[in-house]
């Protein structure tokens, strides 16, 4: 399987510990979140929580249509917060058909 650029960028975030995995870890953050990535197949309450975090941190929200748990290398995880500005910009610049930028409305 070919690894996308976004997989590599998220891997960089994991190795440098510039990512928070799960809603509990994100809820504990006071700021410094530049991008949220959520599983598009998550339950409605999880998706509403992702929108809440998007509004709280005033950052973009990207929905992953498939393979989110593989992307962040953690089973059961439905949301992640990127805490590095440059890697967030790189992820947003390289969105492909697997990812969708949330623009408001229903999740």
């Amino acid at each position: 399987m070919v690894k996308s650029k976004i997989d590599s960028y998220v891997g960089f975030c994991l190795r440098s510990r510039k990512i928070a995995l799960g809603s509990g870890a994100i809820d504990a953050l006071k700021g410094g979140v530049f991008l949220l990535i959520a599983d598009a197949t998550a339950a409605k309450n999880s998706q509403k929580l992702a929108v809440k975090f998007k509004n709280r941190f005033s950052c973009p929200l990207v929905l992953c249509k498939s393979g989110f748990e593989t992307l962040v290398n953690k089973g059961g995880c439905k949301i992640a917060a990127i805490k590095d500005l440059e890697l967030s910009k790189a992820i947003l610049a390289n969105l492909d058909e697997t990812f969708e930028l949330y623009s408001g409305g229903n999740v």
Side-chain angles (χ1 to χ4, degrees), residues 34-96:
F34 298 102
L35 177 66
L36 291 165
I37 304 174
D39 190 347
T41 62
K44 288 292 181 193
N45 284 343
S46 297
Q47 292 178 359
K48 287 178 185 177
L49 193 59
V51 173
K52 177 185 138 187
F53 288 141
K54 174 196 179 308
N55 294 332
R56 177 172 154 193
F57 295 115
S58 300
C59 65
L61 171 63
V62 173
L63 300 174
C64 178
K65 297 178 186 173
S66 66
F68 181 77
E69 292 176 1
T70 306
L71 176 71
V72 296
N73 200 22
K74 186 174 181 182
C77 184
K78 299 297 179 190
I79 186 168
I82 307 296
K83 301 186 293 181
D84 185 282
L85 179 61
E86 295 306 317
L87 286 171
S88 298
K89 288 179 184 178
I91 291 169
L92 287 171
N94 290 289
L95 294 179
D96 57 17

Side-chain angles (χ1 to χ4, degrees), residues 11-33:
F12 294 151
C13 291
L14 287 166
R15 279 184 231 105
S16 65
R17 299 179 186 226
K18 295 287 186 175
I19 190 169
L21 300 175
S23 59
I26 296 171
D27 196 32
L29 297 173
K30 302 290 184 206
V33 175

